[in-house]
Amino acid sequence: MDESGSRIRRRVSFRKRNRSRPGSVFASTTAEVKPGNDEEEEVVSGSRRRKTVDVQPVEHIDNSEEDMFGDYDGFTENSFLAQVDDLEQKYMQLPEHGKHATNLASEYLSLESIKSNKLCTTVDSFTELKTDENTKNQGGHEDVAIEPGADLLYDVPSSQLLFFEHLQNSSDDLGDKPTKEKEFPCNHIQQPQQNDETASKIRTSPDANRRKSLKDHLKSAMTGNAKAQTPVFSRIKQLQEALVSEEINVAKKTLESSSDDLGPFYSLPSKVRDLYAQFKGIEKLYEWQHTCLTLSSVKERKNLIYSLPTSGGKTLVAEILLLQELLCRRKDVLMILPYVAIVQEKISGLSSFGIELGFFVEEYAGSKGRFPPIKRREKKSLYIATIEKGHSLVNSLIETGRISNLGLVVVDELHMIGEGSRGAILEMTLAKILYTSKTTQIIGMSATLNNVEDLQEFLQAEYYTSQFRPVELKEYLKINDTIYEVDSKAENGITFSRLLNYKYSDTLKKMDPDHLVALVTEVIPNYSCLVFCPTKKNCENVAEMICNFLSKEYVKHKEKEKYEVLKNLKNISGGNLCPILKHTVLFGVAYHHSGLTSDERKLLEEAYSSGVLCLFTCTSTLAAGVNLPARRVILRAPYVAKEFLKRNQYKQMIGRAGRAGIDSIGESILILQEKDKQQVLELISSPLENCYSHLIQEFTKGIQTLFLSLIGLKIATNLNDIYHFMSGTFFGVQQKILLKEKSLWEITVESLTYLAEKGLLQKDTISKSKGEFQHSFHITKLGRASFKGSIDLAYCDILYRDLKKGLEGLILESLLHLIYLTTPYDMVSQCNPDWMIYFRQFSQLSPAEQNVAALVGVSESFIGKKASGQAIKKKVDKDIVNRLYLSFVLYALLKETNVWSVSEKFNMPRGYIQNLLTGAASFSLCVLHFCEELEEFWVYRALFVELTKKLTYCVKAELIPLMEVTGVLEGRAKQLYSAGYKSLKHLANANPEVLIRTIDHLSRRQAKQIVSSAKMLLNEKAEALQEEVEELLRLPSDVPGIVASSIENA
C-alpha cells in the first residue's frame, strides 16, 4: 500500500480489563482442510455448520494506526488473539493452505460469534475497512458482498451496533464521490430468524500476496467498539429500533431534520389513529375537526380558542394537539378540567394511550399530585389537573425554573374564567404562563363563549368556531299540555308543534301536573332520558313519582341487570341501600346529585351508560360534569335552586340531548308556567352571557393571592412590574368596563399596602438617581407559607393562630385535635349543628377528647344549654363551635369508615359527609405545606403527612394501594381485594377478561381502564425511583477537586 494513503491516527486511553478465558475457543472446532478444493469447505462445531464458498485472500492493508492494546494482547495466558495469529501463520506456511487461510479464519470467527456473541463484529469490521481513493485505484479490486447469518447480530453489545451504524452512515455520506468503494450489506440488521444453519458467501480479489493480518483486523474492530459510546438504552431496544417499519424510519429521519411531522395522522404515527379506533371506536374525524387541526395558526403553534356546541367533539382536537406536543416536540402538557370526577374520567381514558405511546399520565386533583412534579429525562408527562391544582403546579414549575418544559396548556370549559373564585384562580394561572414562558402554547375550548374578543386579547390567541353538532338538536317549550318548537324565524321565537294525548287519571293529574310521566314514557325504556330538577330533594321526589305511575312492564326490561345493580349498590355501601333507589332502579330510574356517595354515583353512571338505567332525575351539575348524553332532555322548571336559569346553563343542559352514533335526533323540552313565559322567550333568543374577570371581586382569593405569589416567585417584585403584569391579565383587558371609581394603579397600591400591613409582605425602599425612590417588596415567612400552602388569605392568620395555640398543648391521645386543625374553614359557614346530636356526641367523648374541646374554647355546658334551648349570656365564637362539630363528623368517619352509619348518626346527607371528607383531605395537604415553610411548626409535618393519607382514603390500610389507582373507589377496591387483587402489582398485571368474570358489574371498557391506570401508576413509581437513584449517583458539578482540575486544564 502506498504510504501516502490517508491514515487515521487515534489516541485512546485504556486500562487493563479482565476477560473470560477464551482458551478453548478453537479446541472444540474440528476442520478438515482439503487442498485444491475450490468448491466448498465445511466446518462443524457442535450442532452448528457454516459454509464458505470460494474465499480468496484479501489484500494486505498497512495500518500505521497506534496500537491501542500495546503489550496487553495477552488478556489471559493463552490469548485468543495470539491463538488466532498462530493458527493463521501455521496455515500460511503451507502453500496449499495459503489459498484457504482467509476463509478458514472467517469460518472460525463466524462460529465464535454464534457461540459467545462477543466477536460478531469481527467479520463486519474486517469487511467494512475502507481505503482512500489512491489505494482503491491501485488495487483495482472487485466489490465484496456478504450475506450475514440471520442471527449474527442478535445479541451484539449496543456499542458495537452503534459502531456499525456509524460506519454505514459514513459510507452513505461518501456515496456520491467518484470512488469505487467496497459494499458490505452485513451492517444492515435483519430480523433474527430461528435458524441454526447460516451461509456466508464472500467474494474477494485473487491477489493473495497482499493481505492484512487477521489479528490486526480484530484489534481494529475492538478499537472502534471501545471508542463507540454506549447508548443508555438496552440491546433489545437497539434491535427494536433497527427493525421498525418503513413508516417509523421515515418519521425518524423527518424528526432529525427538525420537523414536527412524525407521521400520516396529523403529524402523528398511524398507531395513534389505530389506538383511537381500538379504544374509543373513532375511525374518522369530523370535517370541522380536520379544518381546526390544519389551521395555519395551529401549525405555527399560536394560542387558540375554539368554541362549538356541547357534544361537537371538542375534546378530540385537544387530545390530538397534546399528543403532538408529547410525542413530536417532546414537551410536557398540562390539561386543566373543572371537576375532580372529570379529571378521573380523563385519566382513565388516556392512561392506555400513555402506556402504548410511552408517556406518563399524572393526576392532580384532591390531595393527589407532587409539587414540583418529578423531573423526567426520558418520558414526558401529561398532567391532568383541577383548576386549583393546576395553579399550584404552574407555581412550582416557575419556582424551579422548569416552566419552559411545559409545551402546551389545554383548558376545558374556558368560560369558567368568569365564575367566582375558581375563575380568578384560572385567570392567575394563565396570566403567569403568558408572562413567564413565551414557548408554552395555550389552547382554550368551550361550548358557551360570547365576549371572545376580550379572551383573545388576554390570551393573544386566534379564534375558531363552528355550529356543528353530530346529531340534530330540536328545542321545545311546554306550556300546560301544549308543546311549541323553538324557531328563531318565527315572530315570537316559537311555533306550535303538538298537543299531549296521554290519558291522565284524576290522581295522576294531581301528582304530575307537568305531565312528566307522559313525556318520559315516549322515549323510555328503549331510549334514554334526563330530567333536570331545580333542587336535590326535587330530584328524589320526581324519580319516585314517575315510578309510581309506570306499568310493571318497565320492570321486566333488563330485569336481571337491574337486580345486579341493586346488589352492587348494597355491596359498595356496606349492606346499606337507599330506599328510594331500591324502588326506582327496578323501573330503570334513578336520581343523580351531590347527595350520593362517589361509589353510588359511579355505579349508577355505569348502569346508565350501558342502558340498564334509562332515566336520570338530576341537578344542573350533571350538565357540567361527566358526559352522559340522552335522546331527550327535560328541564323540570326554568330555575336552578331559586335563581332563574341563565342562557349558558340552559345551553349546557340541552347540549346533553342526542348521542352521536346512537341517536338520529336529540330533543330538549323546557317545562314552564304561564307566568314565566316572557322570561323564557327572552332566554331562548338572548345571546350567551359575557364572562368577566373576578380577580378584584374575589379579593382574598384573587388579587391579593396573585400579588403574594408574584413576589414570592420573583416574577415581579416592585410596583411598576406588578402594575405591568396586571395590565396583561384578563382583568387588565376589561379594566375600562370593570373599574368605575378607582384606577388599576390605585387598586394595585391598596392591595400591596394591605398585604404589608397583614405581615405577608415587607416593603423595601431602593434609592434611584436624582433623589427618586422605588419601592420593592419581598415576601415574609408567613407570606411564603400562605402562598406555598395555597391558603385563602382570609384565613391565613387564623390558621397560624390555631397552630400556634395547638403547640401549647397538642393532644395526641386521639386524632381529634389534629382533625380540628385540618377541618376546612370555608365549610364552617354552611354548617348548622343539630344541638341534641352535638350534646350526645360531646357527652361520649373521652377525658382527653374533652380536653381538646376545652382547649379550642367550647364547653359542655354551652352545648347543653343550646340543646335545651336556654339563653346564653356568655359570648362564644360561632365559627369555632361549628368547626368542632364538623371535626366530630370527620372523627367518627375515620373511626368507623362507614359513611352510612355516620350519616345516620349526625342526620346529614351521605354525599355531604363525603364532600366534607374530600375537602378536609385537600385542606390537610395545604396545612402540611404551610407548616413546611415555618420552622416553628416542624412537629406538625410528620403528623399531617399521615393524617392526609387517612383522610384521602378513609378505608382500612390494606385497600389504600388499590384506591391509589384512578377510578377505583372503596366499593370496587373491596371487590378487587376479595378476588385476590391485593396490590398495585396484581392490578397492573391482571387480565381484563379475567377481571370481568371475577368482579361483579364490571364492563370490559372499565376493566381495561383499571388495568391501564394501574400499569401507568406502577410505571410512574418505578420511574420515580430510578430517577432518584440516578440523581444520587450523578456526580455533582461543583465538587471542589473537579472544579479545580477543570480550571487548571483551561
Side-chain angles (χ1 to χ4, degrees):
M1 176 179 173
D2 187 358
E3 288 295 323
S4 65
S6 67
R7 298 172 182 175
I8 302 172
R9 182 169 294 276
R10 300 175 182 151
R11 297 192 176 276
V12 183
S13 61
F14 59 88
R15 59 190 180 124
K16 237 172 188 175
R17 290 170 287 178
N18 294 324
R19 299 281 182 100
S20 58
R21 179 184 178 89
S24 59
V25 169
F26 292 98
S28 62
T29 306
T30 59
E32 183 178 349
V33 183
K34 297 180 181 179
N37 186 354
D38 292 335
E39 292 295 320
E40 186 178 55
E41 283 190 342
E42 192 166 315
V43 182
V44 181
S45 175
S47 62
R48 301 226 180 202
R49 312 181 81 182
R50 292 277 180 187
K51 293 185 180 181
T52 308
V53 181
D54 193 24
V55 181
Q56 299 298 332
V58 180
E59 86 169 304
H60 175 69
I61 302 171
D62 181 24
N63 189 351
S64 60
E65 166 182 322
E66 177 180 327
D67 190 352
M68 172 181 166
F69 296 95
D71 296 332
Y72 281 69
D73 283 354
F75 293 112
T76 61
E77 188 177 347
N78 296 314
S79 167
F80 169 63
L81 294 177
Q83 288 188 37
V84 171
D85 195 50
D86 292 341
L87 190 66
E88 183 184 12
Q89 294 300 326
K90 174 182 174 183
Y91 280 98
M92 286 303 296
Q93 289 171 5
L94 301 173
E96 64 271 30
H97 291 165
K99 185 176 179 179
H100 300 291
T102 301
N103 69 329
L104 180 58
S106 298
E107 289 167 7
Y108 281 139
L109 287 168
S110 298
L111 286 167
E112 188 56 21
S113 69
I114 295 171
K115 287 169 65 181
S116 66
N117 289 322
K118 290 182 178 178
L119 293 169
C120 55
T121 59
T122 305
V123 176
D124 297 334
S125 301
F126 183 12
T127 54
E128 285 178 355
L129 291 169
K130 295 176 175 61
T131 59
D132 62 12
E133 188 176 351
N134 294 339
T135 307
K136 292 186 180 79
N137 290 340
Q138 286 176 6
H141 304 304
E142 296 178 8
D143 289 353
V144 180
I146 297 178
E147 293 179 15
D151 61 343
L152 187 61
L153 299 178
Y154 182 72
D155 200 18
V156 180
S158 54
S159 62
Q160 296 186 14
L161 285 174
L162 194 67
F163 183 52
F164 296 155
E165 290 175 5
H166 174 69
L167 288 176
Q168 175 63 17
N169 291 339
S170 300
S171 64
D172 291 343
D173 293 340
L174 296 170
D176 295 331
K177 293 182 181 180
T179 58
K180 189 175 181 181
E181 294 189 359
K182 302 178 183 179
E183 296 177 8
F184 295 94
C186 74
N187 61 351
H188 296 284
I189 304 172
Q190 299 179 0
Q191 178 129 8
Q193 305 287 334
Q194 298 300 319
N195 184 5
D196 286 343
E197 182 171 336
T198 307
S200 296
K201 299 179 180 179
I202 306 174
R203 297 192 315 274
T204 60
S205 80
D207 187 358
N209 296 324
R210 301 177 66 188
R211 61 180 303 282
K212 179 170 180 167
S213 164
L214 183 57
K215 173 181 169 183
D216 291 337
H217 286 310
L218 284 169
K219 281 188 183 180
S220 177
M222 292 168 77
T223 302
N225 293 340
K227 295 180 77 169
Q229 293 182 351
T230 304
V232 293
F233 30 80
S234 65
R235 301 174 186 175
I236 294 171
K237 188 167 182 181
Q238 276 277 1
L239 288 170
Q240 287 174 341
E241 288 182 358
L243 297 170
V244 287
S245 65
E246 181 181 352
E247 179 187 304
I248 301 300
N249 280 329
V250 171
K252 187 177 177 182
K253 289 176 184 175
T254 314
L255 184 63
E256 287 170 353
S257 65
S258 302
S259 169
D260 290 333
D261 190 346
L262 269 183
F265 184 65
Y266 300 99
S267 300
L268 292 165
S270 57
K271 184 178 181 180
V272 175
R273 179 177 54 209
D274 298 339
L275 289 175
Y276 269 106
Q278 178 185 342
F279 294 143
K280 299 192 176 186
I282 298 171
E283 295 186 354
K284 190 178 179 182
L285 270 65
Y286 297 130
E287 187 176 338
W288 83 263
Q289 291 171 330
H290 172 77
T291 304
C292 186
L293 286 166
T294 52
L295 290 172
S296 58
S297 56
V298 172
K299 291 180 179 179
E300 293 165 12
R301 294 192 76 248
K302 292 180 180 176
N303 295 344
L304 175 72
I305 300 169
Y306 62 98
S307 177
L308 279 98
T310 304
S311 304
K314 297 185 296 295
T315 307
L316 179 59
V317 170
E319 287 180 9
I320 290 173
L321 291 173
L322 66 85
L323 287 174
Q324 288 177 359
E325 199 69 31
L326 288 161
L327 303 179
C328 304
R329 302 183 186 100
R330 306 292 296 158
K331 293 274 189 148
D332 296 327
V333 174
L334 169 60
M335 190 175 203
I336 299 176
L337 304 171
Y339 304 111
V340 174
I342 305 177
V343 168
Q344 292 176 341
E345 184 183 38
K346 189 59 66 179
I347 291 271
S348 298
L350 290 176
S351 288
S352 47
F353 283 84
I355 289 165
E356 292 291 334
L357 299 170
F359 61 86
F360 288 112
V361 182
E362 301 185 35
E363 180 180 351
Y364 281 79
S367 58
K368 292 186 177 179
R370 291 183 61 161
F371 302 105
I374 297 168
K375 189 175 183 180
R376 308 186 192 279
R377 290 199 303 274
E378 295 296 327
K379 293 184 179 180
K380 297 302 169 186
S381 291
L382 167 60
Y383 310 114
I384 303 182
T386 55
I387 291 171
E388 294 78 8
K389 288 290 181 179
H391 182 226
S392 298
L393 180 65
V394 167
N395 281 344
S396 68
L397 290 173
I398 293 171
E399 187 174 29
T400 53
R402 291 164 52 191
I403 190 66
S404 59
N405 293 343
L406 199 61
L408 173 67
V409 176
V410 176
V411 182
D412 195 8
E413 309 296 354
L414 183 61
H415 62 270
M416 289 192 73
I417 200 169
E419 295 183 12
S421 61
R422 305 193 80 212
I425 293 169
L426 180 58
E427 180 181 345
M428 288 189 282
T429 306
L430 297 176
K432 286 175 187 174
I433 293 168
L434 288 166
Y435 195 85
T436 58
S437 176
K438 303 303 178 188
T439 58
T440 303
Q441 184 184 16
I442 296 174
I443 304 287
M445 52 183 170
S446 175
T448 54
L449 282 178
N450 190 28
N451 55 331
V452 183
E453 297 81 7
D454 289 348
L455 283 166
Q456 276 187 269
E457 187 179 343
F458 165 49
L459 295 176
Q460 301 150 38
E462 303 287 319
Y463 179 59
Y464 176 83
T465 187
S466 169
Q467 293 305 310
F468 171 82
R469 268 188 65 93
V471 177
E472 183 189 359
L473 172 63
K474 292 192 174 181
E475 298 177 45
Y476 298 95
L477 303 180
K478 178 191 162 298
I479 305 172
N480 299 321
D481 58 354
T482 307
I483 295 178
Y484 300 89
E485 184 174 355
V486 175
D487 184 0
S488 58
K489 297 175 184 176
E491 185 178 347
N492 61 348
I494 55 173
T495 55
F496 174 80
S497 177
R498 63 189 173 99
L499 287 171
L500 277 174
N501 294 323
Y502 195 85
K503 292 182 180 179
Y504 268 68
S505 64
D506 292 338
T507 309
L508 185 53
K509 280 182 182 177
K510 288 180 182 177
M511 297 295 294
D512 183 22
D514 295 326
H515 308 93
L516 275 172
V517 173
L519 293 173
V520 300
T521 50
E522 288 178 349
V523 290
I524 67 168
N526 295 321
Y527 297 99
S528 57
C529 182
L530 295 175
V531 179
F532 284 101
C533 303
T535 65
K536 287 183 277 192
K537 190 62 182 172
N538 194 229
C539 289
E540 297 172 20
N541 293 339
V542 168
E544 273 202 294
M545 182 274 293
I546 290 172
C547 292
N548 287 336
F549 293 100
L550 291 177
S551 68
K552 298 297 180 185
E553 293 298 315
Y554 286 90
V555 177
K556 294 178 182 177
H557 182 78
K558 297 191 176 182
E559 186 175 10
K560 184 181 175 183
E561 289 91 338
K562 289 171 186 170
Y563 276 106
E564 195 67 29
V565 171
L566 286 174
K567 178 186 170 186
N568 283 305
L569 279 171
K570 198 169 184 179
N571 288 340
I572 64 171
S573 303
N576 299 284
L577 182 61
C578 170
I580 297 172
L581 290 176
K582 185 178 181 180
H583 174 222
T584 62
V585 165
L586 292 175
F587 290 89
V589 179
Y591 65 86
H592 184 289
H593 57 60
S594 61
L596 294 166
T597 65
S598 302
D599 280 311
E600 288 175 311
R601 273 203 305 274
K602 193 169 183 64
L603 202 151
L604 291 173
E605 286 164 5
E606 289 167 358
Y608 178 87
S609 297
S610 61
V612 177
L613 298 179
C614 54
L615 174 65
F616 266 169
T617 58
C618 50
T619 53
S620 59
T621 52
L622 185 138
V626 292
N627 187 23
L628 294 172
R631 171 67 173 267
R632 177 176 287 179
V633 170
I634 300 170
L635 279 70
R636 172 82 172 71
Y639 291 90
V640 173
K642 294 180 180 179
E643 292 185 11
F644 196 82
L645 199 64
K646 293 178 182 176
R647 175 71 173 168
N648 288 352
Q649 294 170 322
Y650 173 72
K651 292 292 284 184
Q652 277 197 320
M653 289 180 190
I654 67 171
R656 294 298 182 199
R659 298 173 298 173
I662 300 173
D663 300 325
S664 57
I665 195 170
E667 301 170 333
S668 74
I669 301 174
L670 171 57
I671 300 171
L672 64 142
Q673 307 302 320
E674 195 68 45
K675 66 182 178 66
D676 294 322
K677 183 177 178 180
Q678 192 56 44
Q679 262 188 294
V680 169
L681 290 177
E682 290 174 9
L683 171 74
I684 59 173
S685 60
S686 64
L688 294 164
E689 290 85 5
N690 291 338
C691 60
Y692 295 107
S693 171
H694 277 67
L695 211 55
I696 301 298
Q697 288 173 272
E698 299 293 330
F699 201 54
T700 56
K701 284 188 178 179
I703 192 168
Q704 288 184 2
T705 300
L706 174 60
F707 287 174
L708 194 65
S709 62
L710 288 180
I711 295 163
L713 294 170
K714 297 180 179 165
I715 296 172
T717 56
N718 62 61
L719 191 55
N720 290 330
D721 289 347
I722 293 169
Y723 177 76
H724 176 66
F725 181 95
M726 279 298 294
S727 301
T729 61
F730 188 40
F731 178 80
V733 170
Q734 296 181 325
Q735 59 179 303
K736 291 181 181 177
I737 304 169
L738 299 176
L739 293 179
K740 303 296 182 185
E741 298 176 359
K742 297 178 182 177
S743 67
L744 180 58
W745 178 267
E746 289 173 323
I747 287 175
T748 303
V749 171
E750 280 182 14
S751 299
L752 289 168
T753 304
Y754 177 82
L755 290 171
E757 288 173 355
K758 204 166 182 179
L760 302 173
L761 290 180
Q762 196 165 331
K763 188 189 290 185
D764 301 320
T765 304
I766 303 171
S767 61
K768 295 178 73 176
S769 59
K770 297 180 182 179
E772 292 182 9
F773 295 93
Q774 180 179 339
H775 295 296
S776 68
F777 298 86
H778 72 263
I779 196 165
T780 63
K781 288 183 178 179
L782 179 60
R784 181 168 293 281
S786 302
F787 141 63
K788 281 291 195 73
S790 301
I791 306 293
D792 186 341
L793 299 187
Y795 306 120
C796 65
D797 49 352
I798 303 172
L799 175 62
Y800 180 82
R801 194 165 59 244
D802 287 344
L803 291 169
K804 190 79 173 172
K805 190 176 180 181
L807 287 180
E808 295 171 10
L810 189 61
I811 298 168
L812 298 176
E813 288 184 42
S814 74
L815 287 171
L816 182 59
H817 198 173
L818 290 175
I819 289 170
Y820 174 80
L821 293 171
T822 56
T823 301
Y825 292 104
D826 55 359
M827 296 191 77
V828 171
S829 59
Q830 307 165 21
C831 176
N832 293 305
D834 183 315
W835 296 107
M836 284 304 297
I837 294 173
Y838 203 158
F839 182 71
R840 194 182 308 125
Q841 292 299 314
F842 206 106
S843 60
Q844 294 172 5
L845 295 177
S846 68
E849 290 161 353
Q850 287 183 354
N851 288 340
V852 174
L855 191 69
V856 300
V858 181
S859 65
E860 187 174 4
S861 62
F862 172 81
I863 305 298
K865 286 178 181 179
K866 291 290 285 186
S868 60
Q870 297 178 32
I872 298 168
K873 296 177 182 178
K874 188 180 177 182
K875 195 173 182 181
V876 177
D877 191 327
K878 182 186 173 184
D879 288 342
I880 293 175
V881 174
N882 290 0
R883 195 175 183 216
L884 184 64
Y885 185 69
L886 292 180
S887 302
F888 283 177
V889 177
L890 290 167
Y891 186 44
L893 193 56
L894 285 186
K895 284 196 294 185
E896 299 179 30
T897 68
N898 188 320
V899 173
W900 283 82
S901 63
V902 176
S903 170
E904 188 177 336
K905 184 181 289 184
F906 288 90
N907 193 25
M908 286 180 166
R910 57 194 183 278
Y912 173 81
I913 290 174
Q914 197 168 59
N915 290 338
L916 173 63
L917 181 68
T918 305
S922 296
F923 188 62
S924 177
L925 191 65
C926 292
V927 177
L928 171 61
H929 293 319
F930 182 88
C931 293
E932 284 174 344
E933 296 299 319
L934 296 169
E935 189 61 36
E936 60 195 294
F937 295 146
W938 64 270
V939 71
Y940 286 120
R941 295 172 194 167
L943 297 172
F944 285 142
V945 167
E946 289 305 311
L947 182 64
T948 302
K949 190 181 290 186
K950 286 179 180 291
L951 290 168
T952 300
Y953 300 108
C954 193
V955 291
K956 292 179 180 177
E958 62 264 22
L959 296 180
I960 290 178
L962 299 177
M963 290 184 67
E964 287 179 341
V965 178
T966 301
V968 176
L969 301 173
E970 183 180 358
R972 186 71 80 203
K974 286 178 178 176
Q975 286 180 308
L976 292 166
Y977 192 85
S978 300
Y981 298 95
K982 299 185 178 182
S983 70
L984 184 61
K985 286 190 287 186
H986 285 141
L987 268 188
N989 292 287
N991 184 336
E993 298 301 323
V994 176
L995 274 180
I996 295 165
R997 295 195 297 269
T998 311
I999 307 299
D1000 292 336
H1001 206 73
L1002 183 69
S1003 69
R1004 180 170 278 99
R1005 181 180 64 85
Q1006 293 155 2
K1008 287 180 177 178
Q1009 285 183 346
I1010 286 173
V1011 173
S1012 294
S1013 297
K1015 283 181 179 176
M1016 177 60 66
L1017 185 58
L1018 194 65
N1019 287 345
E1020 281 179 27
K1021 290 191 171 188
E1023 184 84 7
L1025 289 171
Q1026 193 172 342
E1027 293 279 350
E1028 191 175 340
V1029 168
E1030 289 179 8
E1031 186 64 36
L1032 285 170
L1033 297 177
R1034 193 175 296 121
L1035 187 67
S1037 58
D1038 56 351
V1039 175
I1042 295 177
V1043 173
S1045 62
S1046 61
I1047 292 171
E1048 287 175 11
N1049 292 337

